[in-house]
Amino acid sequence: KKTSTKYDFKAFGAAIKAARQGEKLRTLIDDLNLTSKLEYGAQPLRRKDLRAGPLFRQLVAQFCESPLAERCGITLEQEEPAEQTVLSVDEALLARLLENLMNNSVRHNPKPVNITVHTRQVGERFCLTVADDGIGYPPAVLAALNAAEPAENAPHILGLYVVQQIAAAHGGTAVFGQNTPCGAKATVWLPGRA
């Protein structure tokens, strides 16, 4: 006697969609908690001296294992001096900074994008650039990121605001702009030593 099993793929798809929505909500809540802690100095920095080369190879590889990585191509370019740069950073926070930038590239582009993560050393400063070939930042987002105080109708930029806060907590800065010829580009400057 043959038996067969019927699968309800519609329900399965709905379950996957709910799980993804739950993950987005968890990330949003985590970002809200982190931004509040960083703003009020309640987030202790667990600094370690780490070589930039191995650190960024590890962080990019971790992102490549995430479901979002299926919707993008990722290139890591590390200039030789930056490869050897020692960063005194909280590894988990730096991971969050890079994850937020790459997530932003994937989530805010309707089509798959190519992301380039580039590192270089400029004097005593370490430069991390994350650029994509998507649609770029909307003008309202750039205006909100560059405003001294948030506007009443500011767009949702929590993930990018967290990037700015993490950079500032490490004595650095984050600058957002458009990539040439198209796409978004974020440049993060951190103290670093050869």
Side-chain angles (χ1 to χ4, degrees), residues 28-143:
L28 179 62
I29 291 168
D30 287 350
D31 276 349
L32 283 168
N33 286 333
L34 181 57
T35 193
S36 180
K37 287 179 181 178
L38 287 168
E39 188 171 333
Y40 295 104
Q43 174 69 36
L45 291 183
R46 294 174 180 88
R47 289 181 186 261
K48 291 191 280 186
D49 285 350
L50 300 168
R51 291 222 176 270
L55 174 63
F56 282 95
R57 283 193 295 276
Q58 174 192 340
L59 296 178
V60 169
Q62 285 172 353
F63 183 81
C64 288
E65 295 171 3
S66 76
L68 282 177
E70 296 172 9
R71 296 182 35 217
C72 67
I74 301 174
T75 302
L76 174 62
E77 300 172 350
Q78 297 190 90
E79 295 181 13
E80 182 53 38
E83 173 87 18
Q84 301 304 319
T85 298
V86 175
L87 300 172
S88 179
V89 293
D90 182 313
E91 186 174 2
L93 287 179
L94 196 61
R96 183 53 164 276
L97 179 148
L98 185 59
E99 179 185 354
N100 280 9
L101 290 173
M102 292 192 293
N103 282 346
N104 193 75
S105 289
V106 175
R107 286 192 172 130
H108 296 286
N109 282 291
K111 297 180 180 176
V113 294
N114 294 302
I115 300 171
T116 300
V117 177
H118 182 91
T119 64
R120 62 191 172 110
Q121 182 75 24
V122 180
E124 294 294 313
R125 296 182 348 149
F126 176 83
C127 180
L128 163 70
T129 303
V130 178
D132 66 52
D133 62 357
I135 59 174
Y137 295 117
V141 167
L142 287 177

